[in-house]
Amino acid sequence: MSGWRTHSGLAVALDRENVDTDQLIPARFMSTPRSAGYGDFLLHDMRKDSNGTSVPDFPLNVVPNASVLISRRNFGSGSSREAAVYALVDFGIRVVIAPSFGDIFASNSVNNGLLPARVTEAEVDAAMATLAGGAKEVTVDLTDKTIRLGSTTIEFTLDDVWQQKLINGWDDIDLTQNHQQAILAFRAQHVAGMPWAIPVQQNDFRSAGRDTVSQ
């Protein structure tokens, strides 16, 4: 996963509350291999009618190259399916702006390079008004946590650890490995204070576990 600091792209408004993960990707599509791409499944039952024909005035059909999505509160609620994030990312969405997010959805987003930018209800109202005439160019800066839309600059809320992960392109394992030297130092100190403990070689936790069992 590649990290990033700034992103500029077209923003569109999805003026709906409680967009859940089943709407983001209906369950019937989740047997598809990820390698095939999930972008076409994003918001499938909103973007397309019962015959599979694109709904002409749906925002992501009007602006299929949008990379920033602005929506209402509780975006990504519902089940914990990570495929909902895959669908957004594979479609080309890099940033979702909303007043609140489902907790697991937000965590999955960061682990896949997608920014869940939290702003106030009033700021979403203003952004929606700006986008009423159509898609607009937006610049998002992770370093100072700002969104520039037209002449307006909005500050968004993001956990500092999540900010670090997005900038560096890290998932949870990468974040842990970034502290490898501190982990190794603690382990060495711990073993030194417990001479009866079995020394554990670097990157050999599983074999160490087998040794412990055999003894």
Side-chain angles (χ1 to χ4, degrees):
M1 182 176 68
S2 298
W4 59 279
R5 289 182 178 273
T6 61
H7 173 74
S8 295
L10 291 176
V12 295
L14 180 62
D15 195 1
R16 295 172 182 258
E17 296 181 347
N18 304 310
V19 176
D20 64 34
T21 53
D22 190 54
Q23 292 171 310
L24 288 167
I25 181 167
R28 64 186 183 274
F29 297 120
M30 291 176 57
S31 60
T32 303
R34 173 73 196 282
S35 59
Y38 279 19
D40 193 49
F41 306 142
L42 176 64
L43 296 165
H44 184 277
D45 295 346
M46 296 183 191
R47 290 171 54 212
K48 300 182 180 182
D49 63 21
S50 58
N51 296 316
T53 303
S54 294
V55 176
D57 60 351
F58 189 76
L60 290 176
N61 292 335
V62 175
V63 190
N65 60 334
S67 60
V68 178
L69 184 63
I70 302 177
S71 193
R72 297 290 183 179
R73 66 182 182 87
N74 207 27
F75 190 93
S77 56
S79 67
S80 60
R81 64 187 67 169
E82 194 168 10
V85 176
Y86 298 161
L88 286 158
V89 171
D90 289 355
F91 186 87
I93 302 298
R94 300 291 302 277
V95 180
V96 178
I97 301 167
S100 58
F101 296 90
D103 289 342
I104 296 175
F105 169 84
S107 179
N108 286 338
S109 294
V110 172
N111 284 333
N112 286 277
L114 175 69
L115 168 64
R118 187 156 53 89
V119 300
T120 67
E121 297 270 5
E123 288 166 337
V124 166
D125 288 339
M128 294 277 187
T130 300
L131 295 174
K136 298 287 190 302
E137 183 85 6
V138 171
T139 298
V140 179
D141 192 324
L142 274 174
T143 304
D144 59 12
K145 300 181 184 178
T146 58
I147 301 162
R148 291 190 293 279
L149 174 58
S151 60
T152 303
T153 298
I154 304 168
E155 295 185 1
F156 62 85
T157 301
L158 182 70
D159 179 88
D160 289 343
V161 173
W162 286 5
Q163 177 191 36
Q164 184 183 32
K165 289 170 70 174
L166 285 166
I167 288 174
N168 291 288
W170 291 342
D171 60 15
D172 288 334
I173 295 174
D174 296 321
L175 183 65
T176 300
Q177 289 180 334
N178 186 55
H179 300 284
Q180 186 181 47
Q181 293 306 313
I183 293 169
L184 292 174
F186 171 82
R187 187 165 62 192
Q189 182 181 29
H190 181 70
V191 171
M194 300 174 64
W196 58 89
I198 299 172
V200 180
Q201 299 300 315
Q202 183 176 347
N203 299 325
D204 196 24
F205 293 103
R206 285 175 293 181
S207 63
R210 287 195 298 269
D211 291 342
T212 301
V213 172
S214 67
Q215 294 185 19

